[in-house]
Amino acid sequence: VQLQASGGGWVQPGGTLRLSCAASGRIFSINATGWYRQAPGKQRELVASITNGVGTAYADSVKGRFTISRDNAKNMVYLQMNSLKPEDTAVYYCNADIVHYSGTNPSPYATEYWGKGTLVTVSS
């Protein structure tokens, strides 16, 4: 099982970016997923999360600007980022609790996975 994040880049303040995270492999289902970010010299922080249903949660710093969504049929999770600020500059990571098959074990089980980060730079 792999998580692959994409969509980062450079954008001016006030701009928009959409991050995507694709899960691949022998997946049975995906439980909660989330986006984290880590700015230089800072700890990794949770930006947004979404449950298997429609429950979402956001860091106070991004409420009203970022929207997390998922496409269960495609095993995808997205982060729409609007009104970007320089303080949003960070490496963004996707995270998911994935129920998957492994080897010859017929019973799937859950494992937490992290994708490689994608860099978002907001500057003029």
PDB file of all heavy atoms in Angstrom, residues 75-109:
ATOM      1  N   ASN A  75     -10.218   6.049  -4.012  1.00  0.00           N
ATOM      2  CA  ASN A  75      -9.200   6.041  -2.955  1.00  0.00           C
ATOM      3  C   ASN A  75      -8.355   7.308  -2.992  1.00  0.00           C
ATOM      4  O   ASN A  75      -7.112   7.259  -2.940  1.00  0.00           O
ATOM      5  CB  ASN A  75      -8.309   4.792  -3.046  1.00  0.00           C
ATOM      6  CG  ASN A  75      -9.054   3.516  -2.702  1.00  0.00           C
ATOM      7  OD1 ASN A  75      -9.999   3.539  -1.919  1.00  0.00           O
ATOM      8  ND2 ASN A  75      -8.631   2.417  -3.285  1.00  0.00           N
ATOM      9  N   MET A  76      -9.043   8.436  -3.108  1.00  0.00           N
ATOM     10  CA  MET A  76      -8.374   9.727  -3.205  1.00  0.00           C
ATOM     11  C   MET A  76      -8.840  10.634  -2.064  1.00  0.00           C
ATOM     12  O   MET A  76      -9.993  10.579  -1.640  1.00  0.00           O
ATOM     13  CB  MET A  76      -8.697  10.416  -4.519  1.00  0.00           C
ATOM     14  CG  MET A  76      -8.203   9.699  -5.756  1.00  0.00           C
ATOM     15  SD  MET A  76      -6.411   9.841  -5.978  1.00  0.00           S
ATOM     16  CE  MET A  76      -6.231  11.615  -6.234  1.00  0.00           C
ATOM     17  N   VAL A  77      -7.934  11.498  -1.629  1.00  0.00           N
ATOM     18  CA  VAL A  77      -8.295  12.550  -0.684  1.00  0.00           C
ATOM     19  C   VAL A  77      -7.684  13.843  -1.204  1.00  0.00           C
ATOM     20  O   VAL A  77      -6.594  13.841  -1.787  1.00  0.00           O
ATOM     21  CB  VAL A  77      -7.811  12.239   0.747  1.00  0.00           C
ATOM     22  CG1 VAL A  77      -6.306  12.118   0.809  1.00  0.00           C
ATOM     23  CG2 VAL A  77      -8.291  13.283   1.726  1.00  0.00           C
ATOM     24  N   TYR A  78      -8.404  14.933  -1.036  1.00  0.00           N
ATOM     25  CA  TYR A  78      -8.006  16.219  -1.594  1.00  0.00           C
ATOM     26  C   TYR A  78      -7.959  17.291  -0.508  1.00  0.00           C
ATOM     27  O   TYR A  78      -8.649  17.198   0.512  1.00  0.00           O
ATOM     28  CB  TYR A  78      -8.997  16.656  -2.669  1.00  0.00           C
ATOM     29  CG  TYR A  78      -9.224  15.627  -3.750  1.00  0.00           C
ATOM     30  CD1 TYR A  78     -10.329  14.781  -3.698  1.00  0.00           C
ATOM     31  CD2 TYR A  78      -8.337  15.505  -4.817  1.00  0.00           C
ATOM     32  CE1 TYR A  78     -10.544  13.836  -4.681  1.00  0.00           C
ATOM     33  CE2 TYR A  78      -8.548  14.565  -5.806  1.00  0.00           C
ATOM     34  CZ  TYR A  78      -9.652  13.726  -5.734  1.00  0.00           C
ATOM     35  OH  TYR A  78      -9.861  12.789  -6.700  1.00  0.00           O
ATOM     36  N   LEU A  79      -7.154  18.296  -0.769  1.00  0.00           N
ATOM     37  CA  LEU A  79      -7.140  19.473   0.089  1.00  0.00           C
ATOM     38  C   LEU A  79      -7.174  20.701  -0.810  1.00  0.00           C
ATOM     39  O   LEU A  79      -6.189  21.003  -1.487  1.00  0.00           O
ATOM     40  CB  LEU A  79      -5.912  19.512   0.995  1.00  0.00           C
ATOM     41  CG  LEU A  79      -5.892  20.649   2.022  1.00  0.00           C
ATOM     42  CD1 LEU A  79      -6.992  20.449   3.065  1.00  0.00           C
ATOM     43  CD2 LEU A  79      -4.527  20.747   2.715  1.00  0.00           C
ATOM     44  N   GLN A  80      -8.316  21.361  -0.841  1.00  0.00           N
ATOM     45  CA  GLN A  80      -8.460  22.600  -1.590  1.00  0.00           C
ATOM     46  C   GLN A  80      -8.030  23.742  -0.690  1.00  0.00           C
ATOM     47  O   GLN A  80      -8.583  23.921   0.398  1.00  0.00           O
ATOM     48  CB  GLN A  80      -9.907  22.793  -2.026  1.00  0.00           C
ATOM     49  CG  GLN A  80     -10.159  24.091  -2.781  1.00  0.00           C
ATOM     50  CD  GLN A  80      -9.475  24.126  -4.132  1.00  0.00           C
ATOM     51  OE1 GLN A  80      -9.456  23.135  -4.861  1.00  0.00           O
ATOM     52  NE2 GLN A  80      -8.886  25.272  -4.472  1.00  0.00           N
ATOM     53  N   MET A  81      -7.034  24.490  -1.139  1.00  0.00           N
ATOM     54  CA  MET A  81      -6.480  25.575  -0.326  1.00  0.00           C
ATOM     55  C   MET A  81      -6.708  26.899  -1.041  1.00  0.00           C
ATOM     56  O   MET A  81      -6.172  27.123  -2.135  1.00  0.00           O
ATOM     57  CB  MET A  81      -4.989  25.342  -0.096  1.00  0.00           C
ATOM     58  CG  MET A  81      -4.677  23.992   0.542  1.00  0.00           C
ATOM     59  SD  MET A  81      -2.943  23.796   0.985  1.00  0.00           S
ATOM     60  CE  MET A  81      -2.186  23.802  -0.639  1.00  0.00           C
ATOM     61  N   ASN A  82      -7.510  27.739  -0.441  1.00  0.00           N
ATOM     62  CA  ASN A  82      -7.813  29.061  -0.989  1.00  0.00           C
ATOM     63  C   ASN A  82      -7.235  30.140  -0.090  1.00  0.00           C
ATOM     64  O   ASN A  82      -6.904  29.897   1.071  1.00  0.00           O
ATOM     65  CB  ASN A  82      -9.323  29.237  -1.116  1.00  0.00           C
ATOM     66  CG  ASN A  82      -9.973  28.218  -2.016  1.00  0.00           C
ATOM     67  OD1 ASN A  82      -9.365  27.734  -2.968  1.00  0.00           O
ATOM     68  ND2 ASN A  82     -11.214  27.888  -1.722  1.00  0.00           N
ATOM     69  N   SER A  83      -7.149  31.327  -0.637  1.00  0.00           N
ATOM     70  CA  SER A  83      -6.666  32.493   0.126  1.00  0.00           C
ATOM     71  C   SER A  83      -5.373  32.165   0.878  1.00  0.00           C
ATOM     72  O   SER A  83      -5.245  32.428   2.078  1.00  0.00           O
ATOM     73  CB  SER A  83      -7.743  32.964   1.117  1.00  0.00           C
ATOM     74  OG  SER A  83      -8.942  33.281   0.446  1.00  0.00           O
ATOM     75  N   LEU A  84      -4.445  31.603   0.164  1.00  0.00           N
ATOM     76  CA  LEU A  84      -3.202  31.148   0.796  1.00  0.00           C
ATOM     77  C   LEU A  84      -2.394  32.324   1.336  1.00  0.00           C
ATOM     78  O   LEU A  84      -2.387  33.426   0.754  1.00  0.00           O
ATOM     79  CB  LEU A  84      -2.375  30.340  -0.198  1.00  0.00           C
ATOM     80  CG  LEU A  84      -2.876  28.897  -0.387  1.00  0.00           C
ATOM     81  CD1 LEU A  84      -2.360  28.307  -1.679  1.00  0.00           C
ATOM     82  CD2 LEU A  84      -2.463  28.046   0.808  1.00  0.00           C
ATOM     83  N   LYS A  85      -1.734  32.046   2.451  1.00  0.00           N
ATOM     84  CA  LYS A  85      -0.921  33.041   3.129  1.00  0.00           C
ATOM     85  C   LYS A  85       0.528  32.556   3.203  1.00  0.00           C
ATOM     86  O   LYS A  85       0.768  31.346   3.167  1.00  0.00           O
ATOM     87  CB  LYS A  85      -1.452  33.262   4.548  1.00  0.00           C
ATOM     88  CG  LYS A  85      -2.911  33.671   4.632  1.00  0.00           C
ATOM     89  CD  LYS A  85      -3.360  33.762   6.078  1.00  0.00           C
ATOM     90  CE  LYS A  85      -4.828  34.154   6.187  1.00  0.00           C
ATOM     91  NZ  LYS A  85      -5.274  34.235   7.608  1.00  0.00           N
ATOM     92  N   PRO A  86       1.458  33.456   3.349  1.00  0.00           N
ATOM     93  CA  PRO A  86       2.864  33.021   3.480  1.00  0.00           C
ATOM     94  C   PRO A  86       3.066  32.031   4.619  1.00  0.00           C
ATOM     95  O   PRO A  86       3.903  31.128   4.502  1.00  0.00           O
ATOM     96  CB  PRO A  86       3.603  34.338   3.742  1.00  0.00           C
ATOM     97  CG  PRO A  86       2.774  35.371   3.038  1.00  0.00           C
ATOM     98  CD  PRO A  86       1.352  34.924   3.243  1.00  0.00           C
ATOM     99  N   GLU A  87       2.288  32.162   5.676  1.00  0.00           N
ATOM    100  CA  GLU A  87       2.428  31.236   6.806  1.00  0.00           C
ATOM    101  C   GLU A  87       1.903  29.834   6.507  1.00  0.00           C
ATOM    102  O   GLU A  87       2.063  28.924   7.324  1.00  0.00           O
ATOM    103  CB  GLU A  87       1.756  31.783   8.069  1.00  0.00           C
ATOM    104  CG  GLU A  87       0.334  32.251   7.874  1.00  0.00           C
ATOM    105  CD  GLU A  87       0.233  33.744   7.621  1.00  0.00           C
ATOM    106  OE1 GLU A  87       1.069  34.288   6.851  1.00  0.00           O
ATOM    107  OE2 GLU A  87      -0.697  34.381   8.169  1.00  0.00           O
ATOM    108  N   ASP A  88       1.294  29.655   5.351  1.00  0.00           N
ATOM    109  CA  ASP A  88       0.882  28.315   4.928  1.00  0.00           C
ATOM    110  C   ASP A  88       2.033  27.563   4.260  1.00  0.00           C
ATOM    111  O   ASP A  88       1.894  26.378   3.946  1.00  0.00           O
ATOM    112  CB  ASP A  88      -0.285  28.392   3.947  1.00  0.00           C
ATOM    113  CG  ASP A  88      -1.542  28.951   4.577  1.00  0.00           C
ATOM    114  OD1 ASP A  88      -1.852  28.583   5.727  1.00  0.00           O
ATOM    115  OD2 ASP A  88      -2.225  29.765   3.914  1.00  0.00           O
ATOM    116  N   THR A  89       3.139  28.230   4.056  1.00  0.00           N
ATOM    117  CA  THR A  89       4.296  27.593   3.435  1.00  0.00           C
ATOM    118  C   THR A  89       4.790  26.449   4.314  1.00  0.00           C
ATOM    119  O   THR A  89       5.067  26.630   5.505  1.00  0.00           O
ATOM    120  CB  THR A  89       5.429  28.614   3.237  1.00  0.00           C
ATOM    121  OG1 THR A  89       4.998  29.600   2.292  1.00  0.00           O
ATOM    122  CG2 THR A  89       6.691  27.930   2.722  1.00  0.00           C
ATOM    123  N   ALA A  90       4.868  25.270   3.720  1.00  0.00           N
ATOM    124  CA  ALA A  90       5.255  24.076   4.473  1.00  0.00           C
ATOM    125  C   ALA A  90       5.302  22.896   3.516  1.00  0.00           C
ATOM    126  O   ALA A  90       4.840  22.977   2.374  1.00  0.00           O
ATOM    127  CB  ALA A  90       4.255  23.796   5.596  1.00  0.00           C
ATOM    128  N   VAL A  91       5.826  21.808   4.021  1.00  0.00           N
ATOM    129  CA  VAL A  91       5.700  20.522   3.332  1.00  0.00           C
ATOM    130  C   VAL A  91       4.412  19.880   3.850  1.00  0.00           C
ATOM    131  O   VAL A  91       4.215  19.764   5.059  1.00  0.00           O
ATOM    132  CB  VAL A  91       6.899  19.602   3.595  1.00  0.00           C
ATOM    133  CG1 VAL A  91       6.693  18.260   2.913  1.00  0.00           C
ATOM    134  CG2 VAL A  91       8.183  20.255   3.092  1.00  0.00           C
ATOM    135  N   TYR A  92       3.554  19.510   2.947  1.00  0.00           N
ATOM    136  CA  TYR A  92       2.259  18.918   3.293  1.00  0.00           C
ATOM    137  C   TYR A  92       2.306  17.409   3.093  1.00  0.00           C
ATOM    138  O   TYR A  92       2.785  16.920   2.063  1.00  0.00           O
ATOM    139  CB  TYR A  92       1.156  19.538   2.445  1.00  0.00           C
ATOM    140  CG  TYR A  92       0.788  20.930   2.886  1.00  0.00           C
ATOM    141  CD1 TYR A  92       1.651  21.998   2.669  1.00  0.00           C
ATOM    142  CD2 TYR A  92      -0.419  21.192   3.536  1.00  0.00           C
ATOM    143  CE1 TYR A  92       1.343  23.281   3.101  1.00  0.00           C
ATOM    144  CE2 TYR A  92      -0.746  22.472   3.961  1.00  0.00           C
ATOM    145  CZ  TYR A  92       0.139  23.515   3.743  1.00  0.00           C
ATOM    146  OH  TYR A  92      -0.188  24.779   4.166  1.00  0.00           O
ATOM    147  N   TYR A  93       1.783  16.698   4.086  1.00  0.00           N
ATOM    148  CA  TYR A  93       1.784  15.239   4.069  1.00  0.00           C
ATOM    149  C   TYR A  93       0.354  14.717   4.190  1.00  0.00           C
ATOM    150  O   TYR A  93      -0.430  15.243   4.981  1.00  0.00           O
ATOM    151  CB  TYR A  93       2.581  14.690   5.250  1.00  0.00           C
ATOM    152  CG  TYR A  93       4.033  15.092   5.296  1.00  0.00           C
ATOM    153  CD1 TYR A  93       4.428  16.267   5.929  1.00  0.00           C
ATOM    154  CD2 TYR A  93       5.014  14.290   4.717  1.00  0.00           C
ATOM    155  CE1 TYR A  93       5.758  16.643   5.980  1.00  0.00           C
ATOM    156  CE2 TYR A  93       6.349  14.646   4.766  1.00  0.00           C
ATOM    157  CZ  TYR A  93       6.718  15.820   5.394  1.00  0.00           C
ATOM    158  OH  TYR A  93       8.030  16.183   5.446  1.00  0.00           O
ATOM    159  N   CYS A  94       0.053  13.673   3.439  1.00  0.00           N
ATOM    160  CA  CYS A  94      -1.233  13.024   3.648  1.00  0.00           C
ATOM    161  C   CYS A  94      -1.021  11.806   4.541  1.00  0.00           C
ATOM    162  O   CYS A  94       0.038  11.194   4.545  1.00  0.00           O
ATOM    163  CB  CYS A  94      -1.911  12.640   2.337  1.00  0.00           C
ATOM    164  SG  CYS A  94      -0.979  11.541   1.270  1.00  0.00           S
ATOM    165  N   ASN A  95      -2.058  11.501   5.260  1.00  0.00           N
ATOM    166  CA  ASN A  95      -2.036  10.413   6.242  1.00  0.00           C
ATOM    167  C   ASN A  95      -3.351   9.673   6.149  1.00  0.00           C
ATOM    168  O   ASN A  95      -4.401  10.288   5.936  1.00  0.00           O
ATOM    169  CB  ASN A  95      -1.855  11.013   7.642  1.00  0.00           C
ATOM    170  CG  ASN A  95      -2.071  10.003   8.754  1.00  0.00           C
ATOM    171  OD1 ASN A  95      -3.201   9.750   9.152  1.00  0.00           O
ATOM    172  ND2 ASN A  95      -0.997   9.448   9.251  1.00  0.00           N
ATOM    173  N   ALA A  96      -3.308   8.356   6.266  1.00  0.00           N
ATOM    174  CA  ALA A  96      -4.548   7.593   6.186  1.00  0.00           C
ATOM    175  C   ALA A  96      -4.448   6.307   6.987  1.00  0.00           C
ATOM    176  O   ALA A  96      -3.379   5.687   7.050  1.00  0.00           O
ATOM    177  CB  ALA A  96      -4.880   7.273   4.730  1.00  0.00           C
ATOM    178  N   ASP A  97      -5.539   5.956   7.558  1.00  0.00           N
ATOM    179  CA  ASP A  97      -5.675   4.672   8.239  1.00  0.00           C
ATOM    180  C   ASP A  97      -6.347   3.726   7.247  1.00  0.00           C
ATOM    181  O   ASP A  97      -7.541   3.880   6.957  1.00  0.00           O
ATOM    182  CB  ASP A  97      -6.512   4.829   9.508  1.00  0.00           C
ATOM    183  CG  ASP A  97      -6.582   3.555  10.310  1.00  0.00           C
ATOM    184  OD1 ASP A  97      -5.523   3.051  10.719  1.00  0.00           O
ATOM    185  OD2 ASP A  97      -7.685   3.052  10.518  1.00  0.00           O
ATOM    186  N   ILE A  98      -5.566   2.805   6.712  1.00  0.00           N
ATOM    187  CA  ILE A  98      -6.027   1.999   5.583  1.00  0.00           C
ATOM    188  C   ILE A  98      -6.188   0.544   6.001  1.00  0.00           C
ATOM    189  O   ILE A  98      -5.268  -0.056   6.577  1.00  0.00           O
ATOM    190  CB  ILE A  98      -5.035   2.099   4.410  1.00  0.00           C
ATOM    191  CG1 ILE A  98      -4.937   3.558   3.940  1.00  0.00           C
ATOM    192  CG2 ILE A  98      -5.471   1.197   3.261  1.00  0.00           C
ATOM    193  CD1 ILE A  98      -3.909   3.780   2.850  1.00  0.00           C
ATOM    194  N   VAL A  99      -7.349   0.001   5.686  1.00  0.00           N
ATOM    195  CA  VAL A  99      -7.602  -1.423   5.898  1.00  0.00           C
ATOM    196  C   VAL A  99      -7.201  -2.137   4.610  1.00  0.00           C
ATOM    197  O   VAL A  99      -7.751  -1.837   3.538  1.00  0.00           O
ATOM    198  CB  VAL A  99      -9.071  -1.684   6.232  1.00  0.00           C
ATOM    199  CG1 VAL A  99      -9.303  -3.170   6.476  1.00  0.00           C
ATOM    200  CG2 VAL A  99      -9.496  -0.873   7.454  1.00  0.00           C
ATOM    201  N   HIS A 100      -6.262  -3.044   4.696  1.00  0.00           N
ATOM    202  CA  HIS A 100      -5.683  -3.633   3.492  1.00  0.00           C
ATOM    203  C   HIS A 100      -5.371  -5.108   3.692  1.00  0.00           C
ATOM    204  O   HIS A 100      -5.330  -5.620   4.802  1.00  0.00           O
ATOM    205  CB  HIS A 100      -4.399  -2.877   3.127  1.00  0.00           C
ATOM    206  CG  HIS A 100      -3.332  -3.004   4.180  1.00  0.00           C
ATOM    207  ND1 HIS A 100      -2.325  -3.943   4.110  1.00  0.00           N
ATOM    208  CD2 HIS A 100      -3.132  -2.325   5.321  1.00  0.00           C
ATOM    209  CE1 HIS A 100      -1.553  -3.815   5.175  1.00  0.00           C
ATOM    210  NE2 HIS A 100      -2.026  -2.839   5.924  1.00  0.00           N
ATOM    211  N   TYR A 101      -5.135  -5.766   2.569  1.00  0.00           N
ATOM    212  CA  TYR A 101      -4.709  -7.157   2.574  1.00  0.00           C
ATOM    213  C   TYR A 101      -3.182  -7.199   2.517  1.00  0.00           C
ATOM    214  O   TYR A 101      -2.543  -6.308   1.965  1.00  0.00           O
ATOM    215  CB  TYR A 101      -5.288  -7.904   1.380  1.00  0.00           C
ATOM    216  CG  TYR A 101      -6.794  -7.960   1.378  1.00  0.00           C
ATOM    217  CD1 TYR A 101      -7.536  -7.019   0.677  1.00  0.00           C
ATOM    218  CD2 TYR A 101      -7.476  -8.946   2.069  1.00  0.00           C
ATOM    219  CE1 TYR A 101      -8.917  -7.064   0.668  1.00  0.00           C
ATOM    220  CE2 TYR A 101      -8.863  -9.008   2.071  1.00  0.00           C
ATOM    221  CZ  TYR A 101      -9.577  -8.056   1.369  1.00  0.00           C
ATOM    222  OH  TYR A 101     -10.935  -8.091   1.373  1.00  0.00           O
ATOM    223  N   SER A 102      -2.626  -8.271   3.036  1.00  0.00           N
ATOM    224  CA  SER A 102      -1.182  -8.431   3.006  1.00  0.00           C
ATOM    225  C   SER A 102      -0.837  -9.902   2.889  1.00  0.00           C
ATOM    226  O   SER A 102      -1.375 -10.732   3.642  1.00  0.00           O
ATOM    227  CB  SER A 102      -0.547  -7.853   4.273  1.00  0.00           C
ATOM    228  OG  SER A 102       0.861  -8.003   4.258  1.00  0.00           O
ATOM    229  N   GLY A 103       0.048 -10.203   1.939  1.00  0.00           N
ATOM    230  CA  GLY A 103       0.478 -11.575   1.744  1.00  0.00           C
ATOM    231  C   GLY A 103      -0.685 -12.499   1.461  1.00  0.00           C
ATOM    232  O   GLY A 103      -1.609 -12.176   0.721  1.00  0.00           O
ATOM    233  N   THR A 104      -0.655 -13.639   2.106  1.00  0.00           N
ATOM    234  CA  THR A 104      -1.703 -14.634   1.894  1.00  0.00           C
ATOM    235  C   THR A 104      -2.767 -14.580   2.981  1.00  0.00           C
ATOM    236  O   THR A 104      -3.666 -15.429   3.013  1.00  0.00           O
ATOM    237  CB  THR A 104      -1.095 -16.045   1.856  1.00  0.00           C
ATOM    238  OG1 THR A 104      -0.409 -16.273   3.095  1.00  0.00           O
ATOM    239  CG2 THR A 104      -0.108 -16.190   0.700  1.00  0.00           C
ATOM    240  N   ASN A 105      -2.654 -13.600   3.874  1.00  0.00           N
ATOM    241  CA  ASN A 105      -3.658 -13.450   4.931  1.00  0.00           C
ATOM    242  C   ASN A 105      -4.989 -13.046   4.322  1.00  0.00           C
ATOM    243  O   ASN A 105      -5.080 -11.997   3.693  1.00  0.00           O
ATOM    244  CB  ASN A 105      -3.193 -12.392   5.935  1.00  0.00           C
ATOM    245  CG  ASN A 105      -4.072 -12.325   7.163  1.00  0.00           C
ATOM    246  OD1 ASN A 105      -5.192 -12.839   7.174  1.00  0.00           O
ATOM    247  ND2 ASN A 105      -3.570 -11.687   8.206  1.00  0.00           N
ATOM    248  N   PRO A 106      -6.053 -13.843   4.489  1.00  0.00           N
ATOM    249  CA  PRO A 106      -7.336 -13.512   3.867  1.00  0.00           C
ATOM    250  C   PRO A 106      -8.083 -12.394   4.575  1.00  0.00           C
ATOM    251  O   PRO A 106      -9.057 -11.862   4.060  1.00  0.00           O
ATOM    252  CB  PRO A 106      -8.109 -14.831   3.957  1.00  0.00           C
ATOM    253  CG  PRO A 106      -7.553 -15.498   5.174  1.00  0.00           C
ATOM    254  CD  PRO A 106      -6.099 -15.139   5.199  1.00  0.00           C
ATOM    255  N   SER A 107      -7.626 -12.050   5.793  1.00  0.00           N
ATOM    256  CA  SER A 107      -8.328 -11.028   6.567  1.00  0.00           C
ATOM    257  C   SER A 107      -7.595  -9.693   6.468  1.00  0.00           C
ATOM    258  O   SER A 107      -6.417  -9.599   6.813  1.00  0.00           O
ATOM    259  CB  SER A 107      -8.415 -11.449   8.042  1.00  0.00           C
ATOM    260  OG  SER A 107      -9.115 -12.664   8.176  1.00  0.00           O
ATOM    261  N   PRO A 108      -8.285  -8.662   6.034  1.00  0.00           N
ATOM    262  CA  PRO A 108      -7.639  -7.340   5.972  1.00  0.00           C
ATOM    263  C   PRO A 108      -7.458  -6.757   7.374  1.00  0.00           C
ATOM    264  O   PRO A 108      -8.193  -7.110   8.297  1.00  0.00           O
ATOM    265  CB  PRO A 108      -8.624  -6.524   5.143  1.00  0.00           C
ATOM    266  CG  PRO A 108      -9.950  -7.147   5.418  1.00  0.00           C
ATOM    267  CD  PRO A 108      -9.674  -8.617   5.579  1.00  0.00           C
ATOM    268  N   TYR A 109      -6.517  -5.875   7.506  1.00  0.00           N
ATOM    269  CA  TYR A 109      -6.279  -5.218   8.787  1.00  0.00           C
ATOM    270  C   TYR A 109      -5.817  -3.789   8.546  1.00  0.00           C
ATOM    271  O   TYR A 109      -5.369  -3.456   7.440  1.00  0.00           O
ATOM    272  CB  TYR A 109      -5.247  -5.975   9.621  1.00  0.00           C
ATOM    273  CG  TYR A 109      -3.899  -6.146   8.968  1.00  0.00           C
ATOM    274  CD1 TYR A 109      -2.864  -5.237   9.191  1.00  0.00           C
ATOM    275  CD2 TYR A 109      -3.657  -7.209   8.107  1.00  0.00           C
ATOM    276  CE1 TYR A 109      -1.634  -5.395   8.589  1.00  0.00           C
ATOM    277  CE2 TYR A 109      -2.432  -7.375   7.503  1.00  0.00           C
ATOM    278  CZ  TYR A 109      -1.415  -6.472   7.744  1.00  0.00           C
ATOM    279  OH  TYR A 109      -0.205  -6.622   7.139  1.00  0.00           O
TER     280      TYR A 109
END
